[in-house]
Amino acid sequence: MSQGPTRIEMNEVAPRDGLQIEKRQVPTDEKIAFIDALSACGFKRIEVTSFTSAKAIPALADAEAVMQRITRRPGTIYTCLVPNLRGLERALSSRADELNLVMSVSETHNRANLRMTRDQSTAQLLAMLAEASKAGVACTVSLSCTFGCPFEGDVDPAEVLRLARTFADAGAAGITLCDTTGMAFPTQVAAICDEVSRALPHVAITAHLHNTRGMALANALAAWQVGVMRFDAAAGGLGGCPYAPGASGNVNTEELVHMFETMGVDTGVTLTPLLDVVAGLPQLVERPLSNQLLSAGPRLRTHPAPAWLADHFGAA
Amino acid sequence: MSQGPTRIEMNEVAPRDGLQIEKRQVPTDEKIAFIDALSACGFKRIEVTSFTSAKAIPALADAEAVMQRITRRPGTIYTCLVPNLRGLERALSSRADELNLVMSVSETHNRANLRMTRDQSTAQLLAMLAEASKAGVACTVSLSCTFGCPFEGDVDPAEVLRLARTFADAGAAGITLCDTTGMAFPTQVAAICDEVSRALPHVAITAHLHNTRGMALANALAAWQVGVMRFDAAAGGLGGCPYAPGASGNVNTEELVHMFETMGVDTGVTLTPLLDVVAGLPQLVERPLSNQLLSAGPRLRTHPAPAWLADHFGAA
């Protein structure tokens, strides 16, 4: 079996990608405590918020306050999603360390999700990359529906590469390949990640996976095997498609960290405080969340042998 | 990324491994209909029942009736678990095509689960292999806790190989490496499966995985990458540890089949009728079961684009 990098970087996206679709509007103070607790886990990156319109995403209307009041841990990069030039200005004013720009590889999904054609989005992202470059702030471009579109089905990998190259040429420091609705499968993930990273060796590739069809960890393994060393993930698997709660979210950060840890890969993240954060999520989002890893514990959490064994077999 | 075999064999274990721990004692007629429906999906093997004592596992007290009344599909191998020589005789009388014998690699787990030392179990299994050989019926030996023990923690891979070799030398046609409580991780699965199959090239290796910590499909991918081509799985992820329903069962057959199908691997199983069987499971076991793949559908199940797109952008 091919082995991947001995060290990876985890990008925790729950504060933005998770909280934006929760019914509960998490109060600013609780959000800040959540992000600070995540910082203490050792993440390389945390996607804190999105500088979007308060009307579009009321849950993230407090973007400035959150960015101002979180405690920045040295070593963690605090990123923000920015949908347009106005958002970019706000994020720069709030001293975002890095910016995340988004568009879709699929024309239909881009229109449905962003209300723009792909050409319009491309032009807008190029303008944003130019502005960010002037400010000296690194940008990652997230390409939604890289592995399939819920409207169009399969997407052409050549389109993924074309868009990735366009933004890399325009100065994007990273490209995030997003499995927006959980359509990716391992051999495809390996092939596309490999192709993009070979074509654009100076660009950092991030895998953004969803567990919609149970394949998130298998896809992460495949990405790692071809050398991907950055992963988006959400604590508790928050986020994703709201129509099937608990089933369609982002890959669980804790499961991803746990898997890599079992394989001896350094994630930078400490699992124990992360599981504490995960245990607090039902209170944060005010809905029940079942969590396999939290129930079972890390793989080496052992249990006492049944007491009757000693009676039956004598002392061991 | 290393590619595995283009064809695998699926062994559906829900009728035995799943139903044995359900609260509802499924009536014989419903069990038979369940198994017949599974047969129609094209499984290479179905583990139908266990010839154990009715007192130990009341849910499987109808083993003879079930074996007599199922419709045997040509091409499917109907296997039975047998815990001892008495069970083996009963299984042979019921014309089982193959037998599944079980013991644990872990001393503590073997004592707790089977109430015997590993030496006692080994002796018993060797006697059973001799009897089965006389009858000309193939046996697989399932080694519980191959990838870790919930009481002892890590187990020595040398013990796995020692026991596998013992039974292979005694005529076992197959060895099943069982991740009984979901402690396996991908690089470990690859290493152990690779080691055992290289050491015993004439023996068929089956991977029996649980999803306790979310890694079942990643582990299956790893096993496949080193050449494993037989997989145990349970429809709906039934079975496993009853203390955390839905979280700790066997790997879901439908998710495993779906993953291999997306990768172009021939599983012999047709997904559509299998998903119909899975949809009927809550009625069979009389408890709710959430199922990601059933909710989301296969990866290329697409949705109509929002109607407002045409108004907003004009005809495509």
Side-chain angles (χ1 to χ4, degrees):
Chain A
M1 194 190 97
S2 24
Q3 306 268 333
T6 56
R7 187 179 63 78
I8 61 166
E9 295 178 357
M10 295 293 307
N11 179 23
E12 173 57 56
V13 302
R16 195 278 302 170
D17 200 354
L19 298 189
Q20 73 178 12
I21 63 155
E22 290 295 332
K23 263 193 196 149
R24 182 183 191 217
Q25 233 168 291
V26 176
T28 305
D29 284 350
E30 290 182 47
K31 238 180 241 180
I32 290 163
F34 176 45
I35 294 162
D36 286 350
L38 289 168
S39 290
C41 298
F43 287 99
K44 182 69 183 178
R45 285 177 182 76
I46 297 176
E47 190 165 296
V48 173
T49 187
S50 173
F51 284 94
T52 182
S53 85
K55 220 173 77 184
I57 307 185
L60 303 182
D62 56 1
E64 272 85 358
V66 172
M67 282 297 284
Q68 194 179 349
R69 292 171 47 205
I70 54 171
T71 303
R72 300 196 186 197
R73 190 188 76 95
T76 295
I77 294 164
Y78 295 87
T79 73
C80 297
L81 191 143
V82 290
N84 49 38
L85 281 166
R86 172 77 193 110
L88 183 133
E89 281 164 30
R90 291 171 58 202
L92 294 179
S93 301
S94 289
R95 298 188 303 111
D97 297 320
E98 286 185 16
L99 304 178
N100 183 18
L101 323 183
V102 183
M103 70 168 285
S104 184
V105 179
S106 148
E107 185 68 33
T108 310
H109 184 263
N110 201 72
R111 291 179 181 206
N113 195 42
L114 302 176
R115 305 194 170 217
M116 287 186 281
T117 65
R118 285 187 302 169
D119 285 350
Q120 289 169 330
S121 285
T122 301
Q124 183 171 290
L125 264 57
L126 291 174
M128 292 161 76
L129 283 168
E131 284 304 305
S133 166
K134 279 186 216 159
V137 172
C139 290
T140 291
V141 174
S142 288
L143 297 176
S144 304
C145 296
T146 285
F147 304 97
C149 167
F151 308 120
E152 297 184 7
D154 275 322
V155 305
D156 185 353
E159 283 298 280
V160 177
L161 187 56
R162 178 182 69 81
L163 288 168
R165 190 188 299 280
T166 298
F167 297 122
D169 289 350
I175 297 289
T176 302
L177 302 174
C178 302
D179 184 24
T180 309
T181 61
M183 297 173 70
F185 56 92
T187 45
Q188 177 202 34
V189 169
I192 292 179
C193 291
D194 194 43
E195 187 185 4
V196 175
S197 52
R198 279 174 199 274
L200 307 170
H202 53 295
V203 168
I205 304 297
T206 300
H208 175 106
L209 302 166
H210 280 228
N211 201 34
T212 319
R213 291 166 177 92
M215 288 189 281
L217 293 193
N219 288 332
L221 180 67
W224 173 74
Q225 287 181 329
V226 297
V228 171
M229 52 182 300
R230 288 193 192 179
F231 292 87
D232 282 358
L238 291 184
C241 188
Y243 80 90
S248 292
N250 289 285
V251 60
N252 280 40
T253 309
E254 61 276 18
E255 287 187 0
L256 199 57
V257 166
H258 178 260
M259 180 177 80
F260 280 118
E261 206 173 82
T262 62
M263 299 198 296
V265 177
D266 178 10
T267 67
V269 177
T270 312
L271 193 60
T272 306
L274 176 59
L275 288 176
D276 289 342
V277 173
V278 171
L281 287 179
Q283 198 180 337
L284 189 76
V285 300
E286 288 185 349
R287 63 180 176 94
L289 288 167
S290 73
N291 192 285
Q292 296 188 147
L293 188 60
L294 201 62
S295 308
R299 70 176 286 271
L300 288 179
R301 177 181 295 173
T302 53
H303 305 274
W308 58 262
L309 277 192
D311 296 335
H312 192 80
F313 292 98
Chain B
M1 192 189 102
S2 25
Q3 305 269 332
T6 55
R7 188 179 63 79
I8 60 164
E9 296 178 358
M10 294 294 307
N11 178 23
E12 172 57 56
V13 303
R16 195 279 301 172
D17 200 352
L19 298 190
Q20 74 177 10
I21 63 154
E22 289 295 331
K23 264 194 196 148
R24 181 183 191 216
Q25 235 170 288
V26 176
T28 306
D29 284 350
E30 290 181 49
K31 239 181 238 180
I32 291 164
F34 176 44
I35 294 162
D36 287 349
L38 289 167
S39 290
C41 298
F43 287 99
K44 182 69 181 180
R45 285 178 182 75
I46 297 176
E47 190 164 297
V48 174
T49 187
S50 172
F51 284 94
T52 184
S53 87
K55 220 172 79 186
I57 307 184
L60 303 182
D62 57 2
E64 272 86 357
V66 172
M67 281 296 284
Q68 195 179 348
R69 291 172 46 207
I70 54 171
T71 301
R72 300 196 186 197
R73 189 188 75 94
T76 296
I77 295 164
Y78 295 88
T79 73
C80 298
L81 191 145
V82 290
N84 49 38
L85 281 167
R86 173 74 193 110
L88 182 132
E89 281 165 30
R90 289 171 61 202
L92 294 179
S93 299
S94 289
R95 299 186 304 111
D97 296 321
E98 285 186 16
L99 305 178
N100 182 17
L101 323 183
V102 182
M103 71 169 284
S104 183
V105 178
S106 148
E107 185 68 32
T108 310
H109 184 263
N110 200 72
R111 291 179 181 205
N113 195 42
L114 303 176
R115 304 193 170 220
M116 287 187 280
T117 65
R118 285 187 302 168
D119 285 348
Q120 289 168 330
S121 285
T122 301
Q124 184 172 290
L125 264 56
L126 292 175
M128 291 161 76
L129 283 169
E131 284 304 304
S133 167
K134 279 186 216 160
V137 172
C139 290
T140 291
V141 174
S142 288
L143 297 177
S144 304
C145 296
T146 285
F147 304 98
C149 167
F151 308 120
E152 298 184 6
D154 275 321
V155 306
D156 184 353
E159 283 298 280
V160 177
L161 188 56
R162 179 183 69 79
L163 287 168
R165 191 189 298 281
T166 299
F167 297 123
D169 289 350
I175 297 289
T176 302
L177 301 174
C178 301
D179 183 25
T180 309
T181 61
M183 296 173 70
F185 56 93
T187 45
Q188 176 201 37
V189 169
I192 293 181
C193 290
D194 193 43
E195 186 185 4
V196 175
S197 52
R198 278 175 200 273
L200 308 170
H202 54 297
V203 167
I205 304 297
T206 300
H208 175 107
L209 302 166
H210 280 230
N211 201 35
T212 318
R213 291 166 177 90
M215 287 188 280
L217 293 193
N219 287 332
L221 180 67
W224 173 75
Q225 288 181 327
V226 297
V228 171
M229 53 180 298
R230 288 193 193 179
F231 292 86
D232 283 358
L238 292 184
C241 188
Y243 82 89
S248 293
N250 289 286
V251 59
N252 281 38
T253 308
E254 61 278 15
E255 286 186 1
L256 199 56
V257 165
H258 178 259
M259 180 177 79
F260 280 119
E261 207 172 81
T262 61
M263 299 196 297
V265 176
D266 178 10
T267 67
V269 176
T270 312
L271 193 60
T272 306
L274 175 59
L275 288 176
D276 289 342
V277 173
V278 171
L281 287 178
Q283 197 181 339
L284 190 76
V285 300
E286 287 184 350
R287 64 182 176 93
L289 289 166
S290 72
N291 192 284
Q292 294 187 149
L293 187 60
L294 201 62
S295 308
R299 71 176 285 271
L300 287 179
R301 177 182 295 174
T302 52
H303 305 274
W308 59 263
L309 278 192
D311 296 334
H312 193 78
F313 291 98

